[in-house]
Amino acid sequence: QVQLVESGGGLVQAGGSLRLSCVASGRTSSSYAKGWFRQAPGKEREFVAAINWTGTVRYYADSVKGRFTISRDNAKNTVYLQMNSLKPEDTAVYYCAADPYGSNWLKYDYWGQGTQVTVSS
């Protein structure tokens, strides 16, 4: 089993920055593909970013390209989401996800509980 715990969410003004962290527990979880998703009130959960286990391949949703950066530190079993130039429409609960295979960047076996990000205008 893999457990994921997100942190770093909060309230920020538009144009500001936040860095989300997600720590994974589990013997082999450092070799899993990792992703970030978000869900705004009344909307479906959507893909934000993903990274393969070596950190050499990254994917981003068009809505966050150029503003968000996903990275990982396998020694710390942690994946990060650096969010810059935040907009009110980035307000959502952000979820970390992990998958042992990484064959589909939209499908993950393990999910965290989420961290709230609120961007005020």
Side-chain angles (χ1 to χ4, degrees):
Q1 275 288 357
V2 174
Q3 291 188 325
L4 304 170
V5 179
E6 303 97 333
S7 63
L11 174 63
V12 64
Q13 288 188 332
S17 298
L18 281 175
R19 188 176 82 154
L20 306 183
S21 300
C22 173
V23 179
S25 63
R27 189 164 55 90
T28 60
S29 59
S30 62
S31 65
Y32 286 17
K34 302 283 174 58
W36 286 97
F37 289 72
R38 66 187 182 187
Q39 187 167 19
K43 295 187 177 181
E44 292 188 353
R45 187 168 60 191
E46 64 174 2
F47 169 78
V48 175
I51 188 167
N52 70 338
W53 80 273
T54 60
T56 55
V57 180
R58 308 176 192 193
Y59 294 101
Y60 296 96
D62 287 342
S63 59
V64 306
K65 274 181 186 174
R67 300 188 298 123
F68 290 12
T69 302
I70 188 170
S71 62
R72 65 190 297 160
D73 184 338
N74 288 342
K76 296 181 179 179
N77 224 344
T78 302
V79 62
Y80 304 97
L81 185 68
Q82 177 67 44
M83 305 186 295
N84 299 328
S85 302
L86 282 161
K87 305 175 181 179
E89 50 264 43
D90 294 319
T91 295
V93 176
Y94 283 70
Y95 297 92
C96 174
D99 186 84
Y101 304 110
S103 57
N104 185 330
W105 297 105
L106 300 178
K107 288 189 175 182
Y108 294 81
D109 285 348
Y110 303 100
W111 294 84
Q113 293 300 307
T115 185
Q116 176 71 47
V117 171
T118 303
V119 184
S120 63
S121 58

